[in-house]
Amino acid sequence: METDEKIILVTNDDGITAPGIHALIDAVRPLGKVVVVAPDSPQSGKGHAITIGVPLRLNQVDQFEGIEAWQCSGTPVDCVKLARDKILHRKPDICVSGINHGANHSINIIYSGTMSAAMEAAIEGIPSIGFSYLDYSFAADFTLSKQVAYDVTKKLLESDVSPNTLFNVNIPVIADTLEFKGIKICRQANAKYVEAFDERRDPHGKKYYWLTGEFKNMDPGEDTDVWALENNYASLVPVQFDLTHYRMKEEMEKTWKL
Amino acid sequence: METDEKIILVTNDDGITAPGIHALIDAVRPLGKVVVVAPDSPQSGKGHAITIGVPLRLNQVDQFEGIEAWQCSGTPVDCVKLARDKILHRKPDICVSGINHGANHSINIIYSGTMSAAMEAAIEGIPSIGFSYLDYSFAADFTLSKQVAYDVTKKLLESDVSPNTLFNVNIPVIADTLEFKGIKICRQANAKYVEAFDERRDPHGKKYYWLTGEFKNMDPGEDTDVWALENNYASLVPVQFDLTHYRMKEEMEKTWKL
């Protein structure tokens, strides 16, 4: 290992056995020394959950493409915290999360374990990127996603940016890669899910509910991630974790008496 | 029930048996018709997690201070989704979450189930407030917190604001309430946790880890929530869920070639 080799922490939320994380490892491996710390089970929709009430387990995985890999019993955010404190004993140069099986554009960022892992890294001062491919299938073709992951990771490693930098990158499903238009810097689309719980009865006659919902984009803008993906671009949204609504703060300071 | 009576959805992340939710119900009860939908077990640190892999249970609680109350097997975010879709069958006029046992100022907002429930409501177009009291004890005195919760909820109900409005309100621990200086509109302090996992061995000799960490405020500003709380104010941070980092987006559009 050369002394100036970059340490690349790889994690995800679909779990260490998901094809997407192997695609991501393939993509970034030419850029530095890869260390994998990922959940031992699927953690989709875990948001920024951390594990408080039960202790965490961490086990090294043998024969993982010849690289150092660990599986963790906790959430994606736990993985990043444990990687920093108990495995690397230093900050990695970059953290990449994914490649998620399914979209994390627009409001999905709030629910996404993939993006929460990346955000946790950015909070800790590690430049970080979450990658998501709009194909849910575990048999999906990651060729284009790998190219995008390599390009964006290389660019971020070479850039002089704040250590708190965080990107949300989504890759469209395109039948003919010649139609791919490139990577577009976007804002988060104003979108939401309209819930429709699926109500059923168990064998004992008691009700239970499955969460389902329909995605609804309410944003007509052509500068959003949803627009970009619908128009054969990969979307790149720079993300912040200061959630202060500054415009409203200013308005309230003028008009609210408390 | 008068036809113009406001519907107030109450939830939390400490679970339906926590004293804090009863304090919140007491506080907002004079302001409308209260309906409670809260987790059936503690959900602290669950962030914006939703339940995908298992179905959800929802059970009505008898004799809950004479108000309609439901306990849900899911996360705080699940509670808000189920309340809207399966209990109220309409949007409540406001959603209040808490009163959390412990601080949710600064970076805590990212991990907080209390704030994620409120954020979910705001995403769905329901003005929403998360309340947190800086005393972790279940025997804490909620007198001041109840007064603040009443005042802010009343103010928001009477205000003509966007339905996507979301506030993070924290209440300080003050020995003598005469020293309370009022409610201060703030920004989210730049702070983080420095992790220190507590490593132990189980009776079989295998390692496990407890997540612990020390809070570190890196923000010298006197306009932050942390500053306000240290100076005997309750903090009120208006919160947004568009996480786009617009300043970085502008910079990247000028300088990044992708």
Side-chain angles (χ1 to χ4, degrees):
Chain A
M1 176 182 157
E2 291 169 33
T3 50
D4 62 347
E5 199 176 22
K6 304 286 188 184
I7 305 286
I8 302 172
L9 174 63
V10 175
T11 190
N12 76 345
D13 78 349
D14 290 316
I16 198 159
T17 60
I21 199 167
H22 292 273
L24 185 52
I25 292 162
D26 282 355
V28 301
R29 217 168 167 171
L31 298 171
K33 180 179 190 292
V34 171
V35 177
V36 177
V37 184
D40 61 14
S41 65
Q43 299 282 315
S44 293
K46 281 292 169 73
H48 213 96
I50 49 176
T51 301
I52 299 172
V54 294
L56 293 164
R57 297 285 188 168
L58 193 58
N59 290 299
Q60 192 156 9
V61 183
D62 286 339
Q63 301 187 356
F64 196 83
E65 307 187 22
I67 56 178
E68 183 180 347
W70 298 77
Q71 61 182 20
C72 167
S73 60
T75 66
V77 172
D78 293 328
C79 289
V80 172
K81 288 178 181 286
L82 273 166
R84 162 87 180 77
D85 193 47
K86 288 293 169 192
I87 296 169
L88 299 172
H89 304 290
R90 56 158 279 193
K91 281 186 198 177
D93 294 283
I94 197 167
C95 171
V96 290
S97 178
I99 298 172
N100 192 60
H101 294 259
N104 279 321
H105 57 60
S106 64
I107 199 69
N108 293 289
I109 188 173
I110 304 283
Y111 306 91
S112 162
T114 302
M115 283 309 301
S116 293
M119 182 176 283
E120 180 62 26
I123 290 170
E124 297 204 17
I126 304 158
S128 192
I129 315 166
F131 294 100
S132 304
Y133 180 38
L134 270 62
D135 190 329
Y136 279 93
S137 165
F138 264 39
D141 177 359
F142 279 96
T143 309
L144 176 61
S145 296
K146 283 160 72 169
Q147 187 59 50
V148 170
Y150 174 83
D151 289 347
V152 179
T153 305
K154 183 164 186 284
K155 181 76 188 169
L156 184 52
L157 277 169
E158 289 168 354
S159 299
D160 180 27
V161 294
S162 155
N164 299 112
T165 297
L166 170 61
F167 294 154
N168 183 16
V169 175
N170 282 261
I171 297 108
V173 180
I174 296 177
D176 180 354
T177 54
L178 290 174
E179 288 173 13
F180 179 58
K181 292 201 190 134
I183 300 164
K184 190 175 188 318
I185 299 164
C186 302
R187 66 175 171 86
Q188 175 184 323
N190 179 25
K192 63 173 213 169
Y193 281 87
V194 179
E195 269 74 42
F197 282 93
D198 186 349
E199 183 177 313
R200 303 186 182 189
R201 283 187 188 271
D202 68 20
H204 314 291
K206 289 194 74 179
K207 283 184 192 168
Y208 64 95
Y209 304 89
W210 287 103
L211 173 59
T212 68
E214 194 183 337
F215 180 71
K216 190 177 169 191
N217 181 24
M218 301 165 293
D219 198 325
E222 298 194 355
D223 54 350
T224 72
D225 48 5
V226 171
W227 185 92
L229 291 156
E230 286 172 350
N231 287 274
N232 289 358
Y233 290 95
S235 62
L236 188 169
V237 177
V239 175
Q240 63 181 342
F241 46 84
D242 176 357
L243 306 191
T244 311
H245 196 319
Y246 285 98
R247 189 173 49 72
M248 175 168 285
K249 177 172 177 284
E250 264 181 49
E251 278 171 30
M252 288 174 68
E253 281 166 342
K254 283 180 204 153
T255 60
W256 276 50
K257 298 267 176 296
L258 280 164
Chain B
M1 175 182 156
E2 292 170 32
T3 51
D4 62 347
E5 198 178 21
K6 305 286 190 184
I7 305 286
I8 302 171
L9 174 63
V10 176
T11 190
N12 76 344
D13 79 349
D14 290 315
I16 198 159
T17 60
I21 198 168
H22 291 273
L24 185 52
I25 292 163
D26 283 357
V28 300
R29 218 168 165 170
L31 299 171
K33 180 180 189 294
V34 170
V35 177
V36 177
V37 184
D40 61 14
S41 64
Q43 300 282 315
S44 294
K46 281 291 169 75
H48 213 96
I50 50 176
T51 302
I52 298 172
V54 295
L56 292 164
R57 298 286 187 167
L58 193 58
N59 290 298
Q60 193 157 9
V61 182
D62 287 337
Q63 301 186 355
F64 196 84
E65 306 187 23
I67 56 177
E68 183 179 347
W70 298 77
Q71 60 183 19
C72 167
S73 60
T75 66
V77 172
D78 294 328
C79 289
V80 172
K81 288 179 181 285
L82 275 166
R84 163 86 180 75
D85 193 47
K86 288 293 168 192
I87 296 169
L88 299 172
H89 304 289
R90 56 158 279 191
K91 282 185 197 176
D93 295 282
I94 198 167
C95 172
V96 290
S97 178
I99 299 171
N100 190 62
H101 294 258
N104 278 320
H105 57 61
S106 64
I107 199 67
N108 294 288
I109 188 173
I110 304 283
Y111 306 90
S112 162
T114 302
M115 283 309 301
S116 293
M119 182 175 283
E120 179 63 25
I123 290 170
E124 297 204 17
I126 304 157
S128 193
I129 316 164
F131 294 101
S132 304
Y133 180 37
L134 269 62
D135 190 330
Y136 279 93
S137 166
F138 264 40
D141 176 358
F142 279 96
T143 310
L144 176 61
S145 296
K146 283 160 72 168
Q147 187 60 49
V148 170
Y150 174 82
D151 289 347
V152 178
T153 305
K154 185 165 185 287
K155 181 76 187 170
L156 184 52
L157 278 169
E158 290 168 353
S159 299
D160 180 27
V161 294
S162 157
N164 299 113
T165 297
L166 169 62
F167 295 154
N168 183 15
V169 175
N170 282 262
I171 297 106
V173 180
I174 296 178
D176 179 353
T177 53
L178 290 175
E179 288 173 15
F180 179 58
K181 292 199 189 136
I183 300 164
K184 190 175 188 317
I185 298 164
C186 303
R187 67 176 171 85
Q188 175 184 324
N190 178 25
K192 64 174 212 170
Y193 281 86
V194 179
E195 269 73 44
F197 282 94
D198 185 348
E199 184 177 313
R200 302 185 181 188
R201 285 191 187 267
D202 68 19
H204 314 289
K206 289 195 72 177
K207 283 183 192 170
Y208 64 94
Y209 304 90
W210 287 103
L211 173 58
T212 67
E214 194 183 337
F215 180 71
K216 189 177 170 193
N217 182 24
M218 300 165 294
D219 198 325
E222 298 195 354
D223 54 349
T224 72
D225 48 6
V226 172
W227 186 92
L229 290 157
E230 286 171 350
N231 288 274
N232 288 358
Y233 290 95
S235 62
L236 187 168
V237 177
V239 175
Q240 62 181 342
F241 47 83
D242 176 356
L243 306 192
T244 311
H245 196 320
Y246 285 98
R247 188 173 48 72
M248 175 168 284
K249 178 173 176 284
E250 264 181 50
E251 277 171 31
M252 288 175 67
E253 281 166 343
K254 282 181 206 153
T255 59
W256 277 49
K257 299 267 176 293
L258 279 165

